[in-house]
Amino acid sequence: MAKKYTNFRIGGAPLKDTEDYTVWTNDLLTRIIASKTVIQPGKSTVGHKLIDSDVVYIITNGRGTMEIVEYMNSDEGHGSNPSFGIEHKDSYELAAGDVVLVESGDYCKVVNDSEHDQLTYLRIFDRGGWRQ
């Protein structure tokens, strides 16, 4: 195997580990980041506004809901008031096998609707939007 591919998997020590969810990230590639998130039953991610990055979510296990907020002015965002500048707000059911595209400037939160099973998804996104 080529030497540069010795770190080609998403795994190892988590980048973020809370009682609600765990995130593993791999930054091997120059332009994109890949990560895996596991959300515990009945829990959710914190949610955040995507900045400088479009994101592909690939649901690999479980079921849940994705909350999306589209803002009128993606440059200024919502500041400390998440209701400022909302153009559209909605939620979408998620199941294993779903692929969801989220645009830069939108707010996104993932909720695990199950009381028994974990929800797992992969994210592929532009390096510019990575928050370490």
Side-chain angles (χ1 to χ4, degrees):
M1 180 175 296
K3 183 177 180 180
K4 71 177 182 179
Y5 291 104
T6 57
N7 178 30
F8 65 98
R9 298 175 193 255
I10 300 172
L15 178 68
K16 183 172 188 176
D17 191 10
T18 72
E19 65 181 45
D20 294 346
Y21 64 96
T22 305
V23 179
W24 294 265
T25 302
N26 188 319
D27 64 347
L28 171 71
L29 301 176
T30 305
R31 295 186 197 125
I32 61 173
I33 303 289
S35 73
K36 177 175 86 171
T37 301
V38 176
I39 305 174
Q40 297 304 316
K43 303 295 184 177
S44 70
T45 62
V46 175
H48 66 281
K49 182 178 176 196
L50 303 177
I51 299 173
D52 296 327
S53 184
D54 294 333
V55 180
V56 177
Y57 287 82
I58 304 163
I59 311 305
T60 60
N61 183 63
R63 61 183 176 81
T65 305
M66 180 176 282
E67 300 172 4
I68 299 286
V69 176
E70 298 173 45
Y71 291 97
M72 289 181 272
N73 185 341
S74 62
D75 291 335
E76 292 181 15
H78 56 73
S80 60
N81 180 358
S83 65
F84 176 77
I86 292 176
E87 183 172 320
H88 182 77
K89 184 176 182 178
D90 213 335
S91 62
Y92 304 94
E93 291 183 14
L94 301 172
D98 286 349
V99 177
V100 181
L101 309 177
V102 181
E103 286 187 290
S104 181
D106 294 344
Y107 170 90
C108 180
K109 179 178 179 178
V110 179
V111 180
N112 184 346
D113 294 335
S114 173
E115 291 299 322
H116 305 288
D117 299 318
Q118 294 176 329
L119 172 68
T120 303
Y121 61 86
L122 303 176
R123 284 185 316 151
I124 310 297
F125 55 99
D126 305 327
R127 182 174 282 278
W130 190 26
R131 298 177 184 172
Q132 294 181 340

